Amino acid sequence: MQADPVDDRIDDRTVEPTDTAAIERLLDELQRESQQRRAELRALAAQLPEATSRRALVRSMVASVVHAPNRPLVVKRAVLKLARTPADVLRRLRPR
């Protein structure tokens, strides 16, 4: 596992509790890096698709089943999963 570069910087520096200027510089540097990471994450989040409605999700699933090469197997798995659902719900509701 890779060490965090911030930890390395902090370990390399010996900052006396009375050296407030050095502490302020270190905190400012950490704050700038944090803001840079936030900006990168916001840019990544902006590239993600918008939330999909359940109707659109079901519609795309049906479309993929229609065009699936092995439709009988896909339908069989879906039916088996639906058949297990009531048992799963009962198991979750039953007190332990």
Side-chain angles (χ1 to χ4, degrees), residues 33-47:
E33 290 175 2
S34 175
Q35 289 172 349
Q36 182 181 2
R37 282 192 299 271
R38 281 188 195 136
E40 291 171 0
L41 288 175
R42 284 189 182 111
L44 285 174
Q47 294 173 358

Side-chain angles (χ1 to χ4, degrees), residues 62-78:
V62 169
S64 59
V65 167
V66 168
H67 300 295
N70 195 357
R71 273 177 265 170
L73 180 62
V74 173
V75 171
K76 176 183 174 186
R77 291 179 66 197

Side-chain angles (χ1 to χ4, degrees), residues 7-69:
D7 292 338
D8 292 340
R9 268 199 321 273
I10 292 171
D11 291 340
D12 291 345
R13 292 183 184 175
T14 53
V15 178
E16 295 295 322
T18 57
D19 191 6
T20 57
I23 293 171
E24 289 292 327
R25 282 193 307 273
L26 181 59
L27 288 175
D28 289 341
E29 183 180 347
L30 291 173
Q31 182 68 27
R32 279 191 304 275
E33 290 175 2
S34 175
Q35 289 172 349
Q36 182 181 2
R37 282 192 299 271
R38 281 188 195 136
E40 291 171 0
L41 288 175
R42 284 189 182 111
L44 285 174
Q47 294 173 358
L48 293 175
E50 293 292 322
T52 306
S53 69
R54 288 185 186 143
R55 175 177 277 172
L57 180 63
V58 170
R59 191 179 306 140
S60 69
M61 289 169 50
V62 169
S64 59
V65 167
V66 168
H67 300 295

